[in-house]
Each structure stands twice: as structure tokens, then as C-alpha cells.
């Protein structure tokens, strides 16, 4: 009898190990090849996880994407974590995140050391990367605006959000704007009927989910207090990144103003170094939140990169695990969907504000810069050129502008 019990256990262990290796290999492949930002990542995930490997059905994938669009943090990374969790449990989610994130983290840490060692912050090709960032964000606004602000009320809400975000730059302004937009959406669209959706089967107990949500809130409250009382540098960096990852709706582009407010005014790095790193982030595959690895490496070296990367992604991990078991029932609530309509419009507004400050105001300072923006925008939007070609063209253009 003992042998009969042991054999299935060993088989089950081997099967789980094989699943974890499979998750690692597939997610690493995506981390090495997924260019183009969060929206493009979701397309890569769909082709790999749903169509090719059939790890999820299409409706369940759509449910997961909807949840991650609502939560703060990097939507594509959260989708990847969620798929890993559904495939191989919480460890599977962790491995899926590592595979998708690690390639770009390594690339950006190397770039940070290159920037520090050779003092290339004013190089023309780096200004080209800043202009690439302008183009990418402008394209993101165009796509998100068409989808998330299709009527005059939502357009108005987006513009008002952008105006307030530019004039009020407090640490918690973005959170207040998102909350206010959700309440406005609830008031304006509360009669919107909620669609019928199937349940999403997730191998996580509600007890574990509640523990993750409690940890998320506890860290959000405790970290600023610990930072004030201890003054430990790595703890301060962890707090800055964790808070940024907790308050950002809309993905990697929208985290830009929060990180800039947290780090540049405190003198941890210059605005030029900040924007150079953001431009370099566009040149590598994987999630845009790995920008934090560059910022951590600039401020504290390899240890800073590790701390910053873990801290900025930790809220996303805790939130996706904490909400997945409850999402199917919540999504059916018409009031939740009404609030989401307002929040999505505010995301467009925050992105619009980020396009102007600090991107446009810093990167586009001459007629030649503006001309390069126009060229890259046409290549990206109308010629449908791949992101890597946009990056190369931006680098070459920035170098030529410096030589003129």
C-alpha cells in the first residue's frame, strides 16, 4: 500500500517539475522576443499561451486581461504571472515573471553601468532614445485614446485629468486622480449593463488571496514609516519603487511621472540620466517596468537593481494572486464596470501629461528634434515598422542631429 501511495506522488512531482520548466522556457522565450510594449505583449501571450499551447481558452484569457487592465501595475507582466499561476500554481507565477523579466533587467543594468563609466549622458544617440520615448508614448496615447475615450464625456475627463496632473505634482496626486475618475465613472455610467462571463478557475484559495492583499496594504502603509525612522538607503529605494508600482494604472508608460517625482527631485539621478534610461528601455524586449532595474543600478549598483526590480513588481504579484479568486464575480457587477470606464479615461489623461512633462519638454528642443519625432511617428503608426527599427532609426537620427 505504501508503494501505491508513493508512485502517484512521485509522478505528480515529476509532472509539476516539468510544468515549471515549461513555464520557465516559454516565458524566457517571450522575455527575449516581446518588443513593442504592453499591448504588443498581450498579442505575443495570446499567440503563445492560447493559440499555440492552449494553456487557457480564449474567454478565460480575456477575463484575465480585463482584470490586469483594472489593477495598478504592469498589465502584461500581471497577465504572464496569472497564466503561470493557473498553469503551475504560485511558484509557476513566480517563474513566469522571472523568465519574462530577467532578460531586459540584465540589459538595462549593463546600460546603466555603461552610462556611469563613460559619462555618455549627453551623447546624441541617447537624445535619439529620448525622442523614441516621445514617439512610443504618443502612439500609446493614440491607441488607448481611441479605445478608452470614445465619447465626449470620457475625452473631457481625460483632458481634465491631464491638466490636473501637470499642475498638481504631489506624490499621491495620481492615486487621487484615479480614485476621482472611478467615482465620476460610477456616477455617469452606473446604468451600464454588465456582460455575462464564465468563472475563471484558479488554483489559489481565498485564504491565500486575502493574505496577499493584506500584505500589499501592510507594506504600502509600513514602508514609508520605516523609511522615515531608519534612513536606510536600500529601504528608501524599496519604498519609492513599491509605492510607484502600487499607484500606477495603465502600465509602464504611466509609471514615468511617478518615478521621476520620486527620484529626480531627491538628487538620486539627473533628469537626463532618467530619460536616457527610459529611452533605452524601449530598445529591449520585455516589460517596461524593468526601467526600475536601470534606476536602481544608477543609484546603488547591482544590489540597487535587484531591490528596485523586486519592489516595483511586488505589488503586481500580490495583487494578481490576491484578486484572481474573486474576479469572476466582481466582473459581473455593473457598478465595478462603471468605475472602470472612468478609470480608463483617467489613464489616457495621465499618459497625455507624461507625454508633455518630462518627455516632450526635455527631448524635443530643436526643429531637428521635432522632425525626427515626426519621422519616427510616421514609421510607427502608418508604415507599421517594428519597434526595434524605430529604436535604431532614433539612435541614428540623434547621432546625426548632434553632428549637424
Amino acid at each position: 500500500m505504501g508503494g501505491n501511495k508513493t508512485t502517484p506522488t512521485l509522478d505528480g512531482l515529476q509532472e509539476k517539475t516539468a510544468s515549471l520548466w515549461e513555464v520557465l522556457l516559454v516565458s524566457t522565450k517571450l522575455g527575449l522576443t516581446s518588443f513593442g510594449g504592453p499591448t504588443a505583449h498581450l498579442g505575443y501571450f495570446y499567440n503563445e499561451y492560447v493559440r499555440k499551447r492552449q494553456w487557457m481558452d480564449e474567454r478565460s484569457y480575456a477575463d484575465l486581461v480585463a482584470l490586469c487592465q483594472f489593477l495598478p501595475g504592469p498589465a502584461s507582466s500581471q497577465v504572464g504571472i496569472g497564466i503561470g499561476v493557473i498553469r503551475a500554481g504560485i511558484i509557476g507565477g513566480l517563474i513566469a515573471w522571472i523568465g519574462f523579466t530577467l532578460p531586459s533587467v540584465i540589459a538595462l543594468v549593463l546600460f546603466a553601468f555603461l552610462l556611469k563609466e563613460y559619462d555618455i549622458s549627453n551623447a546624441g544617440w541617447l537624445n535619439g532614445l529620448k525622442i523614441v520615448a516621445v514617439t512610443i508614448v504618443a502612439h500609446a496615447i493614440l491607441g488607448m485614446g481611441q479605445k478608452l475615450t470614445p465619447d465626449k464625456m470620457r475625452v473631457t475627463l481625460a483632458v481634465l485629468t491631464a491638466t490636473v496632473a501637470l499642475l498638481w505634482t504631489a506624490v499621491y496626486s495620481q492615486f487621487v486622480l484615479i480614485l476621482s475618475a472611478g467615482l465620476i465613472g460610477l456616477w455617469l455610467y452606473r446604468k451600464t449593463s454588465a456582460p455575462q462571463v464564465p468563472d475563471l478557475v484558479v488554483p489559489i484559495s481565498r485564504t491565500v488571496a486575502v493574505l496577499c492583499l493584506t500584505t500589499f496594504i501592510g507594506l504600502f502603509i509600513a514602508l514609508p514609516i520605516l523609511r522615515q525612522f531608519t534612513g536606510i538607503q536600500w529601504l528608501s529605494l524599496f519604498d519609492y519603487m513599491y509605492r510607484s508600482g502600487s499607484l500606477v494604472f495603465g502600465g509602464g508608460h504611466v509609471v514615468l511621472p511617478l518615478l521621476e517625482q520620486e527620484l529626480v527631485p531627491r538628487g538620486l539621478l539627473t533628469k537626463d540620466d532618467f530619460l536616457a534610461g527610459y529611452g533605452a528601455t524601449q530598445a529591449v524586449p520585455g516589460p517596461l517596468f524593468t526601467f526600475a532595474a536601470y534606476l536602481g543600478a544608477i543609484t546603488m549598483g547591482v544590489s540597487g537593481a535587484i531591490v528596485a526590480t523586486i519592489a516595483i513588481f511586488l505589488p503586481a504579484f500580490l495583487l494578481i494572486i490576491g484578486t484572481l479568486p474573486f474576479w469572476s464575480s466582481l466582473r459581473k457587477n455593473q457598478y465595478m464596470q462603471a468605475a472602470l470606464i472612468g478609470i480608463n479615461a483617467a489613464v489616457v489623461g495621465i499618459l497625455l501629461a507624461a507625454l508633455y512633462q518630462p518627455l516632450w519638454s526635455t527631448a524635443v528642443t530643436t526643429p531637428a528634434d521635432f522632425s525626427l519625432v515626426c519621422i519616427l511617428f510616421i514609421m510607427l503608426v502608418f508604415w507599421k515598422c517594428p519597434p526595434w527599427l524605430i529604436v535604431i532609426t532614433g539612435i541614428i537620427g540623434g547621432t546625426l542631429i548632434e553632428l549637424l
Side-chain angles (χ1 to χ4, degrees):
M1 293 179 63
N4 292 336
K5 290 182 179 180
T6 303
T7 302
T9 302
L10 290 175
D11 290 344
L13 181 61
Q14 291 174 350
E15 182 179 351
K16 186 172 183 179
T17 302
S19 295
L20 292 174
W21 272 110
E22 187 180 21
V23 169
L24 178 62
L25 292 175
V26 176
S27 60
T28 302
K29 171 189 172 183
L30 290 167
L32 290 168
T33 58
S34 296
F35 291 89
T39 303
H41 297 165
L42 296 177
Y44 288 115
F45 287 172
Y46 175 79
N47 287 330
E48 188 70 31
Y49 290 131
V50 179
R51 296 186 61 183
K52 182 177 179 180
R53 301 183 181 275
Q54 298 181 349
W55 287 2
M56 300 180 70
D57 61 88
E58 293 193 9
R59 190 53 189 265
S60 294
Y61 180 74
D63 288 347
L64 179 60
V65 171
L67 169 61
C68 296
Q69 294 289 353
F70 175 75
L71 295 174
S76 60
S77 295
Q78 287 171 317
V79 170
I81 292 169
I83 292 173
V85 168
I86 292 169
R87 181 68 177 174
I90 293 179
I91 297 178
L94 178 62
I95 288 177
W97 169 75
I98 291 173
F100 186 56
T101 305
L102 190 59
S104 57
V105 166
I106 294 173
L108 290 172
V109 170
L110 293 175
F111 177 79
F113 288 147
L114 178 67
L115 193 68
K116 292 178 70 175
E117 183 71 21
Y118 295 101
D119 190 21
I120 57 175
S121 59
N122 294 319
W125 63 273
L126 280 179
N127 191 62
L129 285 176
K130 298 176 190 177
I131 293 174
V132 168
V134 171
T135 307
I136 296 291
V137 173
H139 183 231
I141 292 172
L142 180 65
M144 293 175 66
Q146 291 174 341
K147 181 179 179 181
L148 301 179
T149 58
D151 56 60
K152 61 182 180 182
M153 291 302 299
R154 278 178 271 188
V155 170
T156 302
L157 180 56
V159 173
L160 287 175
T161 301
T163 302
V164 176
L166 287 170
L167 298 177
W168 180 36
T169 58
V171 172
Y172 292 99
S173 59
Q174 206 173 97
F175 175 76
V176 173
L177 288 171
I178 291 292
L179 179 61
S180 301
L183 294 174
I184 293 172
L186 181 61
W187 176 53
L188 293 176
Y189 299 98
R190 62 188 180 278
K191 295 183 179 180
T192 301
S193 57
Q196 296 296 319
V197 293
D199 291 334
L200 187 64
V201 179
V202 180
I204 300 174
S205 70
R206 294 200 170 193
T207 301
V208 173
V210 171
L211 180 62
C212 287
L213 293 176
T214 303
T215 302
F216 166 76
I217 297 171
L219 287 174
F220 188 83
I221 295 172
L223 284 172
I225 299 173
L226 292 173
R227 171 172 61 85
Q228 291 291 338
F229 277 95
T230 63
I232 300 174
Q233 187 180 12
W234 71 264
L235 186 59
S236 298
L237 180 63
F238 194 98
D239 175 44
Y240 300 148
M241 294 298 171
Y242 185 88
R243 187 163 61 247
S244 297
S246 301
L247 296 178
V248 170
F249 289 83
H253 295 297
V254 187
V255 79
L256 179 65
L258 260 184
L259 291 175
E260 195 269 343
Q261 291 168 22
E262 293 285 0
L263 300 176
V264 175
R266 292 184 168 93
L268 296 177
L269 75 166
T270 67
K271 181 173 285 190
D272 283 343
D273 286 348
F274 181 89
L275 291 174
Y278 187 73
T281 306
Q282 312 301 320
V284 298
L288 294 175
F289 266 48
T290 53
F291 181 37
Y294 163 84
L295 297 175
I298 284 287
T299 56
M300 292 179 57
V302 173
S303 62
I306 295 172
V307 168
T309 302
I310 292 174
I312 202 167
F313 280 100
L314 183 57
F317 199 88
L318 293 173
L319 285 171
I320 190 65
I321 294 177
T323 55
L324 268 176
F326 305 102
W327 178 235
S328 290
S329 57
L330 285 175
R331 262 194 97 222
K332 300 173 184 177
N333 187 289
Q334 68 183 68
Y335 299 112
M336 177 69 72
Q337 292 204 358
L340 185 58
I341 290 173
I343 288 171
N344 286 336
V347 165
V348 175
I350 291 172
L351 199 57
L352 183 61
L355 176 64
Y356 175 75
Q357 177 65 33
L359 285 178
W360 188 283
S361 62
T362 305
V364 185
T365 58
T366 68
D369 293 335
F370 178 75
S371 298
L372 182 56
V373 169
C374 293
I375 291 170
L376 296 179
F377 189 79
I378 290 172
M379 290 175 61
L380 184 63
V381 177
F382 297 101
W383 287 93
K384 309 297 182 184
C385 295
W388 61 265
L389 183 58
I390 304 299
V391 171
I392 292 175
T393 306
I395 291 173
I396 295 173
T399 303
L400 292 176
I401 290 172
E402 184 186 31
L403 296 176
L404 292 177

